[in-house]
Amino acid sequence: MVRKMQKRDIGTQATGDTGDNNDNTAERLPHRTSEEKSQQTGSYHGRDFRIQSENSSIASDEDKSRPSAVEIDTYIDFDDLLPEIGEFGCYQKMLFLLMIPFCFISAYVYLSQIFMTLTPEKYYCFVHDLTLIESEQERKELSIPKLKDGSYSRCEMYDTNYTAIYKAKNRTQFMNSSLPRIPCREGYVFSSSEAFFTANIEFGWVCDNDFYATYAQMIFFLGSVLGCLGYGHFADHCGRLAALVSSCSLAFFGSLFTGMTKNFWSFVVTRLIVGAAYDTCFTMIYILMLEYVGPKYRTFVANMSLAMFYSPFTMLIPWIAIYLHSWRSFALYGCIPLAFGFVSFCCLPESARWLVSRGKIDDAIDILKRVAARNKRVVPPVYWKRFRESCELFYKEEFEGRNFTVFSIFKRPRLARYMVFMCLIWMIMSLLYDGHVRAASVLDKENVAVVFTIACATELPGDLLVIVTLDRFGRRWCAFTFTTLSGLFSLVGANLSHPTHTLVAALAGRFFANVCYNIGLQWAAEVLPTVVRAQGISLIHTLGFAAMLLSPPVIYLSNLSLSLMLNTLGGLGIVGGIICLFLPETLYEDLPQTLSDGNNFGKDQRMWHQPCCGEGRRRIAHTKHTWHEGSSLRTLSRDEFRSKKLHRVAVVKTRASRQYAPSFVSVSRGPSLLSQGTEILQRVQNLRQDSTHQKPK
């Protein structure tokens, strides 16, 4: 869905950012002792802005013409810059409010398909020869057989001569329940009390043709899979804003032409187009929002945007459909908000991270300066200079270094196992969530709008529960608990005889499915290493859409038995919860950045590891990456670095000074920046001491 989603490219940006939200500062800044940190703390918002003059007492006259050690040593990343330009100021609040129309777009694109193909509850076979009989009850008695419960069949009629019945003076003699039965052959009569005129009613997708609605739902998700793959490539090459505008445009024209379709094939083609836009039309604004928000606000903003905007719109969708009454009107008028995507270029900024990745560093800095100006923050020029140099170095290293693909994950056994488990968990969570969303339309067919609204209302407390529990009890046990509870309540509901009790249990299963779905994508972003995080998340998200292809067939099982449908969802929840226990906990952990880190991640955790109850670790020694330099854009492992510049900890020159540097510290040919008692010398000595106790990778 859109949901929550939506969130494929959150792997590219936002999911990576969400994962970085739990990284400690040491992952992005050089490793320093507490004494060094206190020495290097500047007066401007806790940042280090000391320049060359501080080193004048320890450097020669020749050194004064060179950049300071701090300028060379420190890399400024986006997460380092955000506190200076404002983490959640006026600009970010404006972006937060601009998510409102896109949340409606997301809810409409995802849920409109359900109501357009909603199967009516009351109908029976149409018999043309009996249309002139005024009494509907008499027509049913003459043509429609009764079922065991006393109701009239919806898909069968008597095989007899209806012309003779109509002309007979005494029609009651032809009322014979022992007559042979045949499927409806002249169409159907639908109840005038139906609140919404669906495509199923217009095209006759009921009884033997009811599979057409299921196929239409599946083709919608097929479009989502294709769109997920296509727009991932498009967004990387043309920009996040371009992907947002084009996907909204695609959804607009797809919905517009949906209201003009005349048959099944034209209907599914337009829904395939709308499905291709689904996910992207929300995740791009979701990414932009999270990118410009500071790390400590991202969990709050990510979940509150869904709780405050997305959830209320999902509750509103069925009532909009009922108000418009017809599926064609719903398709035509409902797409009007999609036109907001056309003006996104005027309201939204481009992704600054994407601009840097494409070498457009000046454009990225211009946007960030506008953010600082709107937030009324003043950033010293030296800080912009360091940020520019960091971006230029990163851009150069991207082209000089090695490239990693999602297939690199499967070269490391433990990391490959994590990837397989995460794919399975996300597919189960996606199928479980989407299955429960669609189940609301069949749990009580006489009160679909009311039940659907109540089911969607569970989104809000579910989002709030994630905020309260996820950073307290950890990802693993939360995912296990909520996924298992979703499965258990579904199983309980399947085996209850009273319809109201079954409905309540199924809604409880829906509530916990909401919670586990919110956990899944963030957890995947934290388990996967930085160097393959974007591609890994994209693959996982695509497989999630592929799993959603199975949710319409699962809901179709309700035509056979409601218990069979709920038992299937319950079994999926139990299996998914068990698999969650085989992934590592990421709360309070230094998240992996390289393939080697990912392969070693979680090795020291015991099976019952629970962050809120203690570390739960095995007592083994850890290898510290003491030579890691600053930016979270960089990798750590020596055999996976993108450029040899990544090993530079200090600029060293003279033979005498080399004795203080460990073997992996690069040595330049420039003038020395080391002298006795300096900060740089102290850092190198600390590195040398660490290297004598542990061998670097």
Side-chain angles (χ1 to χ4, degrees):
M1 326 113 262
V2 68
R3 184 98 168 135
K4 257 181 175 199
M5 335 219 303
Q6 6 161 359
K7 311 170 177 165
R8 175 191 70 263
D9 196 46
I10 294 179
T12 308
Q13 304 287 349
T15 50
D17 296 343
T18 306
D20 290 340
N21 185 24
N22 296 284
D23 290 354
N24 55 35
T25 310
E27 289 185 293
R28 297 188 297 271
L29 297 176
H31 290 266
R32 304 182 177 100
T33 64
S34 58
E35 180 181 356
E36 289 170 336
K37 290 180 181 179
S38 63
Q39 291 174 351
Q40 295 188 16
T41 300
S43 61
Y44 185 82
H45 300 291
R47 297 289 179 182
D48 185 2
F49 290 104
R50 295 184 303 165
I51 57 177
Q52 181 177 345
S53 59
E54 293 188 16
N55 292 323
S56 58
S57 62
I58 60 173
S60 63
D61 293 337
E62 182 182 4
D63 294 336
K64 293 180 181 181
S65 62
R66 296 181 56 78
S68 70
V70 176
E71 287 186 81
I72 294 176
D73 180 64
T74 304
Y75 290 93
I76 306 298
D77 197 5
F78 283 94
D79 290 344
D80 303 322
L81 186 63
L82 283 172
E84 312 307 325
I85 66 176
E87 294 187 271
F88 195 62
C90 180
Y91 192 89
Q92 287 87 351
K93 292 174 182 176
M94 179 192 70
L95 288 180
F96 186 70
L97 293 177
L98 285 175
M99 293 184 71
I100 294 176
F102 292 99
C103 285
F104 175 81
I105 290 172
S106 171
Y108 171 75
V109 170
Y110 175 45
L111 299 177
S112 61
Q113 179 88 352
I114 297 176
F115 289 95
M116 288 181 186
T117 57
L118 198 62
T119 302
E121 177 64 16
K122 298 177 180 179
Y123 58 92
Y124 58 92
C125 297
F126 173 71
V127 180
H128 181 269
D129 292 336
L130 303 181
T131 53
L132 296 179
I133 299 178
E134 294 183 1
S135 173
E136 181 182 22
Q137 183 63 30
E138 185 179 359
R139 293 198 302 268
K140 287 183 177 180
E141 291 286 348
L142 291 170
S143 61
I144 309 300
K146 287 187 176 182
L147 303 177
K148 294 180 179 180
D149 60 0
S151 62
Y152 288 98
S153 173
R154 294 183 299 182
C155 300
E156 290 183 323
M157 58 187 289
Y158 292 125
D159 185 12
T160 186
N161 187 346
Y162 290 103
T163 303
I165 293 176
Y166 173 71
K167 292 180 179 180
K169 292 183 179 181
N170 184 14
R171 299 189 185 104
T172 57
Q173 63 180 329
F174 293 95
M175 295 180 182
N176 185 358
S177 60
S178 62
L179 291 172
R181 303 177 182 186
I182 59 173
C184 301
R185 60 187 181 187
E186 297 179 354
Y188 304 88
V189 178
F190 296 93
S191 174
S192 59
S193 63
E194 291 288 344
F196 187 64
F197 187 77
T198 67
N200 293 33
I201 295 176
E202 180 173 337
F203 297 129
W205 295 342
V206 292
C207 296
D208 292 341
N209 295 323
D210 60 356
F211 59 86
Y212 282 116
T214 300
Y215 287 164
Q217 300 277 5
M218 295 177 68
I219 290 174
F220 174 85
F221 282 115
L222 177 61
S224 300
V225 173
L226 298 177
C228 184
L229 297 173
Y231 269 112
H233 182 79
F234 181 85
D236 287 340
H237 288 79
C238 301
R240 303 340 184 197
L241 197 54
L244 177 66
V245 174
S246 62
S247 63
C248 288
S249 303
L250 197 64
F252 175 84
F253 289 110
S255 296
L256 189 65
F257 289 120
T258 295
M260 305 177 185
T261 55
K262 300 298 183 182
N263 52 49
F264 170 76
W265 293 109
S266 59
F267 181 84
V268 296
V269 168
T270 57
R271 301 316 296 172
L272 180 74
I273 294 173
V274 175
Y278 162 67
D279 188 59
T280 306
C281 62
F282 178 75
T283 53
M284 290 301 130
I285 182 66
Y286 192 82
I287 290 165
L288 290 173
M289 176 73 252
L290 293 181
E291 178 172 323
Y292 289 101
V293 172
K296 68 178 181 180
Y297 291 98
R298 285 178 188 151
T299 298
F300 173 81
V301 170
N303 288 279
M304 288 307 297
S305 62
L306 297 172
M308 294 176 62
F309 306 141
Y310 177 78
S311 298
F313 282 131
T314 59
M315 299 167 61
L316 190 62
I317 290 297
W319 302 105
I320 293 176
I322 291 175
Y323 176 78
L324 295 174
H325 187 65
S326 169
W327 72 275
R328 292 189 183 273
S329 299
F330 188 46
L332 294 173
Y333 291 104
C335 70
I336 293 177
L338 289 165
F340 185 82
F342 295 139
V343 298
S344 298
F345 273 119
C346 305
C347 306
L348 299 172
E350 181 53 273
S351 165
R353 296 178 193 266
W354 177 81
L355 289 171
V356 170
S357 71
R358 306 302 291 180
K360 301 178 181 180
I361 300 173
D362 290 335
D363 294 339
I365 292 178
D366 288 342
I367 293 176
L368 294 173
K369 286 183 176 179
R370 289 201 299 270
V371 175
R374 180 62 64 89
N375 291 337
K376 298 180 180 180
R377 305 292 293 269
V378 179
V379 181
V382 65
Y383 211 74
W384 293 114
K385 177 182 177 183
R386 292 181 184 177
F387 179 70
R388 182 190 299 274
E389 292 171 351
S390 300
C391 291
E392 289 172 351
L393 181 58
F394 166 71
Y395 179 71
K396 182 178 180 181
E397 290 165 354
E398 284 294 294
F399 287 93
E400 288 182 353
R402 292 170 51 181
N403 293 320
F404 301 100
T405 68
V406 70
F407 299 105
S408 303
I409 296 174
F410 297 97
K411 296 179 181 178
R412 309 294 175 99
R414 179 180 291 270
L415 186 57
R417 186 167 69 251
Y418 290 163
M419 184 65 177
V420 171
F421 286 149
M422 186 54 69
C423 288
L424 291 174
I425 290 171
W426 183 244
M427 292 173 71
I428 290 174
M429 288 180 174
S430 299
L431 180 53
L432 193 64
Y433 172 79
D434 190 67
H436 275 287
V437 169
R438 297 177 186 278
S441 64
V442 299
L443 290 172
D444 187 350
K445 293 185 178 181
E446 294 184 358
N447 302 286
V448 172
V450 175
V451 173
F452 201 91
T453 302
I454 296 173
C456 290
T458 63
E459 299 266 3
L460 178 58
D463 293 332
L464 297 178
L465 184 61
V466 171
I467 297 175
V468 173
T469 60
L470 194 59
D471 289 338
R472 181 181 296 272
F473 300 103
R475 282 66 166 141
R476 188 162 67 109
W477 285 105
C478 283
F480 165 76
T481 301
F482 296 131
T483 307
T484 304
L485 284 175
S486 178
L488 287 176
F489 275 103
S490 298
L491 292 175
V492 170
N495 295 280
L496 293 175
S497 57
H498 197 284
T500 302
H501 297 164
T502 298
L503 177 61
V504 171
L507 291 177
R510 162 71 187 274
F511 169 75
F512 289 113
N514 297 336
V515 180
C516 69
Y517 189 89
N518 287 343
I519 297 172
L521 195 59
Q522 178 173 340
W523 195 15
E526 295 171 351
V527 171
L528 295 179
T530 301
V531 292
V532 290
R533 181 171 295 159
Q535 297 177 70
I537 292 300
S538 179
L539 174 61
I540 291 172
H541 211 225
T542 302
L543 292 175
F545 282 128
M548 288 182 185
L549 284 168
L550 300 176
S551 62
V554 170
I555 303 306
Y556 186 79
L557 294 175
S558 64
N559 295 328
L560 303 175
S561 170
L562 191 62
S563 297
L564 181 60
M565 179 194 73
L566 291 176
N567 277 322
T568 303
L569 293 174
L572 287 170
I574 298 297
V575 172
I578 293 173
I579 296 177
C580 289
L581 296 177
F582 293 92
L583 283 176
E585 178 57 65
T586 58
L587 183 62
Y588 305 138
E589 299 287 342
D590 293 341
L591 302 187
Q593 296 202 37
T594 68
L595 297 179
S596 297
D597 290 340
N599 195 54
N600 294 324
F601 189 65
K603 267 187 175 181
D604 56 338
Q605 293 182 7
R606 298 178 184 272
M607 185 65 180
W608 53 85
H609 172 49
Q610 171 55 266
C612 68
C613 300
E615 291 188 352
R617 294 175 173 274
R618 294 183 176 89
R619 298 182 180 276
I620 61 174
H622 293 275
T623 301
K624 296 181 179 180
H625 300 288
T626 54
W627 42 267
H628 169 48
E629 185 61 60
S631 175
S632 63
L633 296 174
R634 290 169 167 72
T635 59
L636 292 173
S637 176
R638 294 196 68 199
D639 61 343
E640 296 167 5
F641 61 88
R642 301 176 189 271
S643 165
K644 62 184 179 181
K645 297 182 180 65
L646 298 180
H647 296 305
R648 181 174 291 114
V649 175
V651 181
V652 190
K653 182 242 178 189
T654 62
R655 291 179 179 272
S657 62
R658 292 187 186 183
Q659 62 180 315
Y660 299 108
S663 60
F664 52 85
V665 177
S666 65
V667 179
S668 74
R669 297 182 179 180
S672 173
L673 293 179
L674 291 180
S675 60
Q676 295 296 329
T678 66
E679 175 184 305
I680 299 296
L681 178 59
Q682 180 64 39
R683 290 192 57 201
V684 173
Q685 288 175 334
N686 291 338
L687 291 171
R688 182 173 180 272
Q689 292 173 2
D690 289 340
S691 66
T692 60
H693 297 289
Q694 49 192 355
K695 182 184 293 183
K697 294 182 181 179

